[in-house]
Structure formats: structure tokens, C-alpha cells
Amino acid sequence: MDENILGLVAGGITSVAMLPQLIKVLKEKDVKDLSLLMIVVLITGLSLWVWYGFMKDELPIILSNAFAVLVNIALLISYFKFRK
Amino acid sequence: MDENILGLVAGGITSVAMLPQLIKVLKEKDVKDLSLLMIVVLITGLSLWVWYGFMKDELPIILSNAFAVLVNIALLISYFKFRK
């Protein structure tokens, strides 16, 4: 398989994988079992992956990690909105 | 910054970011707010990233995604063990 297609498929799947968690949180308005630490550390690491993608000039890495950063920022906002 | 060091740092952070969620689940023995769909889709996508890493011969991508696959398999096992 062409490596760029493989990268885009992998990136698409891991990007889509983030959405059910966000949808679940938005629906149930309950974040008790989510880890705030995980969300914050993930945003940091994913941002570094975007930087890595730019240095290596690899579009699948840039796109999928940039999307993941956005989803995790949405989770972070939800966390503070819905925590009890 | 050297791109391989950047990749290893990014990979280290996103790998470590998975752990608080797993530790939280193992401690509280409660998976009500976790998304099973997310875990299953993530394992699929992360495995494709490992494949991509091998094709591109990029160690940071192989290592961090292989670790993430292991953590998500542990989450999957916990999900079925702790769900009510």
C-alpha cells in the first residue's frame, strides 16, 4: 500500500476514534471518569507531533494530530463545563 | 531541534498521556463514562500507525503507537472486567 494513503487512513481512523468520547461527554454531561491530566498532557504531546509533522513534511501526521488537538481542546472545555 | 528527538519527546508525552486514564479506571473500577467504540477504533487506527512507521522507517512513530496499542488493549480488558 502507498505509505501516504496508509498514513491518511491511519490518521482518519485515530481522528474519528476521538469523536465518540467527545459525543458521549456532550450527551451525558458527565465527566466523572475522564482524566483531566490525560487531556492536558495529550494536548501538549499532540501539538509536538504537529511540529514533528511539519519538520518531516508529512501531511498525514500534521492533519491527524492537528484534528486530535482540536478534539481534546473541546474535551477540556467540556470538562470544566460539566464537572460537579 | 533534531527531528528524531522531537519525535521521541512527542511520542513519550502522548504515550504517558494514556496512562492516567488507565490508572483511573484500574483504581475506581468504573468505566461508565468510557467509550467502548473509541477504544476499539483507536486500537485499529494505532495499529495502522505502527505499520506506517515501519514503512517510513520512523522509530518514534513505531514506538509511541505500539505503546498506545498496549495501553488501549489494557483499557479494553478493563472495560469488560469492570462494566456493570
Side-chain angles (χ1 to χ4, degrees):
Chain A
M1 199 195 289
D2 179 79
E3 54 194 24
N4 280 315
I5 294 175
L6 175 61
L8 287 171
V9 171
I13 292 174
T14 47
S15 297
V16 167
M18 307 260 140
L19 289 178
Q21 183 70 70
L22 181 61
I23 292 166
K24 193 177 170 83
V25 165
L26 291 178
K27 253 197 215 160
E28 300 180 2
K29 303 188 193 315
D30 186 357
V31 292
K32 189 174 67 65
D33 297 335
L34 280 189
S35 164
L36 174 63
L37 180 60
M38 184 185 76
I39 296 167
V40 172
V41 175
L42 260 183
I43 290 172
T44 311
L46 292 165
S47 304
L48 290 181
W49 273 119
V50 175
W51 184 13
Y52 177 89
F54 274 109
M55 283 182 82
K56 289 275 204 175
D57 203 20
E58 289 182 52
L59 198 62
I61 293 179
I62 297 169
L63 288 181
S64 58
N65 287 290
F67 181 81
V69 168
L70 291 181
V71 172
N72 277 282
I73 287 173
L75 271 180
L76 186 67
I77 294 168
S78 306
Y79 187 91
F80 287 106
K81 202 173 160 201
F82 297 138
R83 73 175 168 168
K84 276 148 203 161
Chain B
M1 198 195 288
D2 178 78
E3 55 194 22
N4 280 316
I5 294 174
L6 174 61
L8 287 171
V9 171
I13 291 174
T14 48
S15 296
V16 167
M18 307 260 140
L19 289 180
Q21 183 71 69
L22 180 61
I23 292 167
K24 194 177 169 80
V25 165
L26 292 179
K27 253 197 215 159
E28 301 179 2
K29 304 188 193 311
D30 186 357
V31 291
K32 188 174 66 66
D33 296 335
L34 280 189
S35 164
L36 174 64
L37 180 61
M38 183 184 79
I39 296 168
V40 172
V41 176
L42 259 183
I43 290 172
T44 312
L46 291 166
S47 304
L48 290 181
W49 273 118
V50 175
W51 185 12
Y52 176 89
F54 275 109
M55 283 182 81
K56 288 274 203 177
D57 204 19
E58 289 182 52
L59 198 62
I61 293 178
I62 298 169
L63 287 182
S64 58
N65 287 292
F67 181 81
V69 168
L70 290 182
V71 172
N72 277 283
I73 287 174
L75 271 179
L76 186 67
I77 294 168
S78 307
Y79 186 92
F80 287 106
K81 200 171 162 203
F82 298 138
R83 74 177 166 165
K84 276 147 202 162

